[in-house]
Amino acid sequence: MSWTIASEPVDSPAAAALWRAYYTEVSDRWYLLHEGRRTDPTELEREIVARSGAELAPPGGQLLVGWYDGEAAGSAGVRLLDAETAELTRVFVREEVRGRGGAALLVAAAEEAARALGATRIVLDTRGDLVEARALYARLGYAESEPHNDDTYAEHWFRKDLGAAREPLN
């Protein structure tokens, strides 16, 4: 079994299922840590609908889906913040296929997508409790940096230089 990474419309059934799984996991982890409960189902539905991922659609963004053994198993998105800076977001791998290299492949594909969009650097934010994510980013050459946004839940910001932008693949 192996991974295949491909661009995916943000409103596709695979993208929607991965967004739901991602948001449910990170939201539940936050509420369990801070309030000792899971996310209220009404709040979960409201936030899933409100955050459509439209910013990850071309021409200024791209959503990538990782397929493992024919199943949508992970995602990563990029969007341009300015002419040279892309933001990495929605990096997620389903629990049942974690530890099989998918996250690193998704991040590498997102970095290539960012280069194709013209970015020479990529930034991201994450939370302190997402220790696996922070370890992944550090292992992949991301360095902690100053905040690039004021996201309520962001506690750690990372940056990586991508080098010169490359021509898009045809």
Side-chain angles (χ1 to χ4, degrees):
M1 293 187 231
S2 63
W3 288 92
T4 304
I5 312 294
S7 183
E8 186 78 20
V10 298
D11 59 353
S12 75
L18 288 165
W19 171 231
R20 175 174 293 284
Y22 168 84
Y23 195 81
T24 300
E25 182 174 329
V26 298
S27 182
D28 280 353
R29 283 177 70 162
W30 191 90
Y31 278 111
L32 286 167
L33 178 66
H34 296 281
E35 297 184 11
R37 66 174 178 87
R38 295 197 179 280
T39 311
D40 175 84
T42 303
E43 178 188 3
L44 183 69
E45 291 307 314
R46 183 181 65 242
E47 291 301 313
I48 286 171
V49 170
R51 298 178 183 222
S52 69
E55 70 280 5
L56 302 178
Q62 188 171 16
L63 178 67
L64 300 157
V65 167
W67 300 84
Y68 188 80
D69 196 27
E71 299 289 323
S75 64
V78 293
R79 69 180 181 129
L80 285 176
L81 298 179
D82 61 43
E84 296 180 347
T85 309
E87 180 179 41
L88 177 63
T89 187
R90 293 194 187 191
V91 177
F92 174 72
V93 174
R94 290 188 180 273
E95 186 174 9
E96 61 270 18
V97 293
R98 289 182 187 155
R100 299 179 188 175
L105 291 171
L106 282 159
V107 171
E111 290 170 0
E112 270 308 305
R115 283 185 193 98
L117 291 169
T120 59
R121 72 184 142 290
I122 191 165
V123 296
L124 64 95
D125 67 70
T126 191
R127 298 191 324 233
D129 64 308
L130 300 176
V131 294
E132 308 92 337
R134 290 183 10 242
L136 170 72
Y137 301 132
R139 191 179 79 225
L140 297 178
Y142 287 76
E144 289 219 38
S145 63
E146 292 298 315
H148 63 271
N149 64 25
D150 59 359
D151 186 299
T152 304
Y153 299 103
E155 298 170 316
H156 296 270
W157 294 263
F158 289 82
R159 173 189 168 132
K160 183 177 183 181
D161 289 329
L162 298 174
R166 297 183 186 155
E167 291 296 318
L169 303 174
N170 292 330

